[in-house]
Amino acid sequence: EEEAIYYFAGNKFRTSYYFMLLWSVIYVKFYEKFKVNVVLFVLYRFSFVFLIMFCYWIKCSTAVVGSIVMLLMTFFSERVRKKLLSWKVIIVSIVVVGLIILLLRQIVDIEYIEYFIVNILGENLGLTGRFVIYDRLFDIVKIHPFFGFGYGNSAIQAYVASYFSNAQNSVIQGVIDYGLFGAVAFGLMIRQLFVIKTNVEIGTDDINRIWGMYMFVFSMIICSIVEITFNYMFYTALFFVGAYITQIVNVGDEE
């Protein structure tokens, strides 16, 4: 079965994230039709069952959780969407993702979370050996805290007896690679994407239209707790959101 999955799906993470990004693009593409056709929007939401089951079939538990997050975000009210579509929310979420590993053992011991991990996802409470890495991550960060070890380093393999080649947490991996200066630069980049010096306010309709891409961005942030999800697909969606906001602002300035 394992060989058949890889034959048809290839790398389970890459394939799952492709499908999640596709569902985001579908939302953006058909948003205008969703506004006037409630049945079509309900069918779109129902299609997430296929996405979730596909991710489950190829045994990508991270993408299962990410797909569920995306589905739930389709039900968010316009008021909530407007509050979440913010560089501050993104940065705070990323910081929380980096620090949450300090409490992750206690979190997975919560009864309903334990049930979901073991009985629904079919994973173990050790998160496939990730705690071996998490217990040492901040010690590794302390070795080169300001500029990191550099891109493509083997710090995890060198300092942790584990078969994983990375930190299994996107935020901490970024700090290991580029240090605190790199983390600050990353935060400034996100801020630049969302903060524009203008009096033009982004309308509710524009927020709803771009929400599909933002669902993918936010789900990847959640998934980054236990995986390296800050990849080219994540950055593509993030820059797409930023580019769209910039376009709306520029149009507003011209008017």
Side-chain angles (χ1 to χ4, degrees):
E1 182 183 0
E2 192 78 19
E3 293 180 355
I5 290 174
Y6 276 92
Y7 179 83
F8 287 106
N11 182 290
K12 64 179 181 180
F13 298 107
R14 188 177 297 116
T15 302
S16 298
Y17 301 155
Y18 274 139
F19 270 80
M20 290 170 63
L21 183 58
L22 174 61
W23 255 248
S24 296
V25 173
I26 290 173
Y27 184 101
V28 175
K29 177 68 175 178
F30 293 97
Y31 166 70
E32 294 294 338
K33 293 184 179 180
F34 291 159
K35 283 199 306 181
V36 297
N37 192 329
V38 177
V39 175
L40 189 62
F41 195 24
V42 170
L43 289 175
Y44 170 74
R45 285 169 169 164
F46 186 76
S47 71
F48 273 91
V49 175
F50 168 80
L51 177 60
I52 293 169
M53 292 306 297
F54 174 79
C55 296
Y56 183 81
W57 177 68
I58 65 175
K59 300 182 178 180
C60 187
S61 300
T62 308
V64 170
V65 174
S67 300
I68 293 173
V69 170
M70 288 179 59
L71 173 59
L72 293 176
M73 289 182 72
T74 65
F75 291 94
F76 286 4
S77 67
E78 293 179 353
R79 182 179 178 183
V80 172
R81 293 183 181 192
K82 192 169 186 177
K83 288 183 178 297
L84 287 180
L85 192 60
S86 162
W87 67 271
K88 294 180 181 178
V89 171
I90 293 180
I91 291 179
V92 169
S93 301
I94 289 174
V95 171
V96 170
V97 163
L99 297 177
I100 201 171
I101 58 175
L102 295 173
L103 301 173
L104 203 54
R105 288 184 186 274
Q106 290 78 7
I107 293 174
V108 299
D109 284 338
I110 297 173
E111 185 177 353
Y112 65 88
I113 294 181
E114 178 181 338
Y115 180 87
F116 180 75
I117 293 173
V118 176
N119 297 295
I120 305 298
L121 297 179
E123 302 288 351
N124 57 69
L125 292 181
L127 302 181
T128 322
R130 283 174 172 80
F131 283 121
V132 175
I133 301 175
Y134 295 159
D135 290 341
R136 296 290 308 280
L137 283 184
F138 289 98
D139 291 330
I140 296 174
V141 169
K142 291 177 183 177
I143 298 174
H144 296 294
F146 299 111
F147 296 101
F149 288 84
Y151 177 76
N153 66 81
S154 57
I156 298 298
Q157 293 174 316
Y159 293 97
V160 182
S162 172
Y163 61 86
F164 288 113
S165 60
N166 56 60
Q168 295 297 295
N169 179 289
S170 294
V171 179
I172 303 301
Q173 183 64 50
V175 177
I176 290 175
D177 289 345
Y178 308 113
L180 295 176
F181 281 103
V184 171
F186 181 60
L188 291 174
M189 179 191 71
I190 293 175
R191 184 179 185 276
Q192 185 62 29
L193 279 172
F194 286 83
V195 177
I196 312 231
K197 294 180 179 179
T198 179
N199 294 323
V200 177
E201 183 177 353
I202 301 175
T204 301
D205 197 53
D206 294 316
I207 292 174
N208 289 335
R209 183 176 289 106
I210 200 63
W211 188 248
M213 280 299 181
Y214 196 71
M215 292 190 311
F216 180 79
V217 170
F218 207 78
S219 67
M220 288 291 98
I221 293 175
I222 300 298
C223 290
S224 70
I225 296 174
V226 293
E227 278 296 344
I228 305 299
T229 58
F230 291 179
N231 50 33
Y232 61 93
M233 285 180 274
F234 169 79
Y235 291 117
T236 298
L238 182 63
F239 292 144
F240 186 92
V241 174
Y244 184 81
I245 291 176
T246 302
Q247 179 191 30
I248 295 301
V249 169
N250 289 338
V251 170
D253 282 340
E254 291 176 1
E255 294 176 351

